[in-house]
Amino acid sequence: MATGLRPLHARYPYFERSREAVREADVSLVAAARDEAVAERALARVETVLTEGTVGEPERGTRTELLSYPIARVLVSLVDQPVLVHRYARAEAEAARERFVADLGRRELKSAPGNRLTLEGLLEEFDLDGAVRGTGRAETSEADTERGDGYEMGVSSYLSLAADRRGEEWRLVNRRLAKGWVALSREDVLALLGEAVRQRVASGLPLSVPAEIEAPLEEAVATIEERLAETNLIRDIDTVVPELFPPCMKYLLDQVQKGEHLEHHSRFAITAFLSNIGMETDDIVELYMVNPGFGEEITRYQTDHIRGVSSPTEYSTPACATMQSYGDCVNMDDRCERISHPMGYYEDALEDADDADLTDWRARESEAEAKTEAEAGE
Ligand code: SF4
């Protein structure tokens, strides 16, 4: 094992101290990408996300397991599909949450000093030490902790971490809120720490990957692309079926097509949504063209910026909490009660829909064009 690399670093490779340990060990990403064992585990990390929804079983070797994480991020970046980034970050977060539950309170991992995981240390890792406090009842009554009496989190931290969590129980209206503090159980705190991991894993993805790192990973990338094609994930989330859009996006799209002027935040929300479900700039520009106030150049510029074509990052659709604060959350329906993100709404709606209902909007458009051309030629 390289000096300074500990089992805790391998178990939680996204921790700042783990990244620091890698920097100190002076292992280059190029060397890691060329290391067969590391590349193999990195591939398994991503491939198992697609087959089982998890990051798979950890490698016993600390160095291999730890380095497989940055290489897995490189693989996800090279495949460059928003749905893979989303699923991968979610699987790392879920693995983290399970490990938090298992490791907290354990004396030491493999008895090496400095390997103990504590809740205080975890909160500090994610800059939440001032944002979470115990109420003193967590250890005394299990019933209390289940109701969310053991801990409290400052409301702004809560909103930023709970925004993407599915389930009615995460909506602020369903939580006890007093003087800016939201009541939580220990389980809730660990779930929200998992969310902090998800945000950290997803941040900066996709990375821009230099050619010397990409070359040794070509085969692994091809394997993931094959697996993606088999799972139909891309087709699913990239299917553009406006009837299944969340009510807020249906409304905004309708406004665009009626030629109404949209505020900047609303235009950002609908464009980010259309881009996140896989629409290309040309398709989005075409969709906006019916708007009399449409300016092709500015729309193209904004869309490329949001899609990450002309900017370092692809912007995400705002979560429901943000949509609500801007007044963009309208016509909520039953499904809205179960989700906290418009992408979650759409993913759910696609999963529930019959295959027969899943005709892509773009396919309908081309069919309609072909029909018009055929009629004109008669
Ligand atoms: S709850 Fe979320 S998905 Fe539903 S309309 Fe509001 S912002 Fe859109």
Side-chain angles (χ1 to χ4, degrees), residues 219-336:
E219 240 176 74
V221 171
T223 306
I224 298 167
E225 284 172 343
E226 238 172 70
R227 198 67 69 236
L228 252 179
E230 284 165 17
T231 55
N232 279 338
L233 261 181
I234 296 182
R235 198 198 65 200
D236 281 351
I237 196 70
D238 279 8
T239 309
V240 182
V241 188
E243 295 79 6
L244 302 180
F245 283 4
C248 49
M249 297 302 169
K250 262 190 204 156
Y251 175 79
L252 289 177
L253 186 58
D254 198 42
Q255 295 299 99
V256 171
Q257 300 199 307
K258 273 187 190 150
E260 299 290 339
H261 169 75
L262 290 189
E263 295 282 339
H264 177 75
H265 51 83
S266 311
R267 193 172 164 120
F268 172 85
I270 181 69
T271 308
F273 176 77
L274 295 172
S275 146
N276 291 170
I277 65 170
M279 285 182 75
E280 302 287 335
T281 301
D282 281 346
D283 293 330
I284 297 175
V285 167
E286 195 183 315
L287 202 67
Y288 284 11
M289 260 181 200
V290 290
N291 187 324
F294 165 88
E296 176 167 351
E297 209 177 316
I298 187 73
T299 303
R300 198 170 278 286
Y301 171 81
Q302 283 175 344
T303 309
D304 276 346
H305 187 80
I306 289 171
R307 292 184 61 231
V309 175
S310 61
S311 62
T313 182
E314 179 179 4
Y315 287 85
S316 302
T317 309
C320 297
T322 313
M323 297 285 286
Q324 278 156 12
S325 65
Y326 280 114
D328 282 332
C329 168
V330 292
N331 306 333
M332 280 174 69
D333 62 16
D334 288 351
R335 197 186 300 278
C336 289

Side-chain angles (χ1 to χ4, degrees), residues 10 51 68 85 137 139 151 157 175 206 225 240 251 254 304 359:
T51 52
S68 70
V85 172
R137 290 195 292 267
E139 308 301 329
Y151 293 86
S157 301
R175 290 271 160 186
E225 284 172 343
V240 182
Y251 175 79
D254 198 42
D304 276 346
T359 313

